[in-house]
Amino acid sequence: MNRPAQAFQRIRSFVSSQVDVSRSLAQALQDRSINPYPYLKPFIEKAAGVREPPISPTPHSVVYTRGSMRLLRYAAPRRRHRTPILFVYSLINRWYILDFLPGRSLIEYLTRQGYDVYAIDWGTAGPDEQNLSWSELLGGHLRTAVRWTLRVSGSEDLTLYGYCMGGTMALAYTALYPEGVRNLVVQATPVDFSKGGIYSLWTQQRHFDVDSLVDAYGNVPTYVLESGFFMAGPVQRITKWLDVCRQIDDPGFVTTFLALERWGSDAVPFPGEVYRQYIRDCYQQNLFCQNRMEVGGERVDLGSIPCPVLNIIAEQDNIAPPAMSEPLPDLVKECETMRFPVGHIGLSASSKAPVKVWPRIAAWIGQRSRPMEGGE
């Protein structure tokens, strides 16, 4: 290519990059995001010369839908366990932190260990989810997801795996509907809601009128949820972007950082009536760990859970601090606790997880799963 052509190509590339940055900023302003990610991402991408990897890179298929909910199947390359695993994630963020990046995906890891893996994508709550109750959520959506997992996998039972609020939901579900749940794994899961630090303080009844919020909005908007997480650590939310600037010449670091920030900014509206009861019963009255929370007129008694429970705690967790999860062994019949020196998200996305965390979890599940005769 001659010099004029090379110069033209550089100018064209520069102009194109400026247009892309402008479009990204315009979209962020239009969305009125309070998260710094959509504003800073285009500049970091341009400076580092990287692009975000695709969401949920592990191959999967949709085996069931219900409203905004999807049930995803991640088939094992060679299935060695008859007992499948069904992931239940929180209603606040998206499920794909469980399938973060190639080589740093808990779902990918478990499929390579021979498990038939399923995950619930709750989708984006809209008008149809506004009046969804805990009874419909557990006895309808989650119960149907369990049944479809068993049907598609050809198994009599499964391992239910809950993460964060999804763990609270999985505990409540298994207490109410134990049939078909062979093992229960709960990861970074709130149980004693009086130990939630600043979140417990902010949601106290004298500080927070949950009825007014839900009555006004229906589903809780994402910017309301984001503002709470932002105010819980406002300085750290900004300074971490300075850290990534210091490592701008490390494309691997920058790519991982942007992928994690994208997930963190991808909050979804919280179904209104589920949120109302969650705040009232769990945070404001702490009924869950007292076995006094009611769903559909039935009391959620954790002591009635018949299957073995694995309680996974992140020792550096500032979203669901260890103290929130530590009472669980005293509330269920059979429980083993594993503790790891990582944060809330580090259990599923850190570089330590594939080496120090997931092998121990997979071994626990494997010892309690039915083998697949001859494999598949």
Side-chain angles (χ1 to χ4, degrees), residues 164-165 167-168 171 188-193 278 283 288 319-320 324-325:
C164 192
M165 181 198 175
T168 307
L171 284 164
T189 291
V191 175
D192 183 349
F193 288 82
Y278 184 53
Y283 277 98
F288 188 73
I319 296 175
M324 296 188 81
S325 307

Side-chain angles (χ1 to χ4, degrees), residues 112-315:
R112 290 183 175 179
Q113 295 297 309
Y115 293 97
D116 195 22
V117 179
Y118 299 75
I120 298 175
D121 170 15
W122 294 111
T124 301
D128 291 341
E129 286 74 35
Q130 181 174 319
N131 295 314
L132 183 71
S133 67
W134 271 80
S135 179
E136 293 167 321
L137 180 69
L138 300 183
H141 289 63
L142 183 48
R143 196 175 190 184
T144 305
V146 168
R147 289 172 172 172
W148 271 91
T149 298
L150 297 179
R151 178 183 300 181
V152 175
S153 67
S155 176
E156 298 176 359
D157 47 29
L158 55 73
T159 295
L160 196 61
Y161 195 136
Y163 190 179
C164 192
M165 181 198 175
T168 307
M169 293 158 57
L171 284 164
Y173 175 85
T174 309
L176 296 171
Y177 309 105
E179 183 179 0
V181 181
R182 183 180 181 88
N183 310 299
L184 176 58
V185 179
V186 291
Q187 177 170 302
T189 291
V191 175
D192 183 349
F193 288 82
S194 69
K195 306 295 185 182
I198 196 167
Y199 298 109
S200 296
L201 174 64
W202 283 349
T203 53
Q204 287 180 14
Q205 198 164 1
R206 65 179 183 272
H207 301 312
F208 183 45
D209 187 348
V210 65
D211 291 327
S212 294
L213 177 65
V214 175
D215 291 345
Y217 289 104
N219 295 324
V220 182
T222 56
Y223 62 83
V224 173
L225 301 169
E226 281 188 331
S227 64
F229 288 116
F230 184 86
M231 292 307 297
V235 176
Q236 192 270 341
R237 293 263 169 168
I238 299 299
T239 57
K240 63 184 177 183
W241 287 92
L242 299 177
D243 292 336
V244 78
C245 289
R246 296 187 185 99
Q247 302 190 57
I248 202 70
D249 293 327
D250 183 345
F253 177 86
V254 175
T255 298
T256 300
F257 176 86
L258 289 176
L260 189 57
E261 290 302 304
R262 176 187 57 187
W263 171 82
S265 70
D266 193 14
V268 289
F270 201 119
E273 291 305 320
V274 173
Y275 185 81
R276 191 196 304 268
Q277 185 176 1
Y278 184 53
I279 297 298
R280 273 183 177 178
D281 288 6
C282 296
Y283 277 98
Q284 294 182 343
Q285 300 182 58
N286 201 26
L287 300 182
F288 188 73
C289 71
Q290 301 175 50
N291 294 323
R292 294 170 52 212
M293 182 177 179
E294 291 190 2
V295 173
E298 294 186 61
R299 186 168 58 89
V300 178
D301 180 6
L302 300 182
S304 67
I305 295 176
C307 66
V309 179
L310 175 60
N311 183 30
I312 304 168
I313 293 177
E315 294 179 335

Side-chain angles (χ1 to χ4, degrees), residues 319-335:
I319 296 175
M324 296 188 81
S325 307
E326 288 168 345
L328 185 58
D330 295 329
L331 299 174
V332 296
K333 294 176 181 177
E334 181 183 348
C335 183

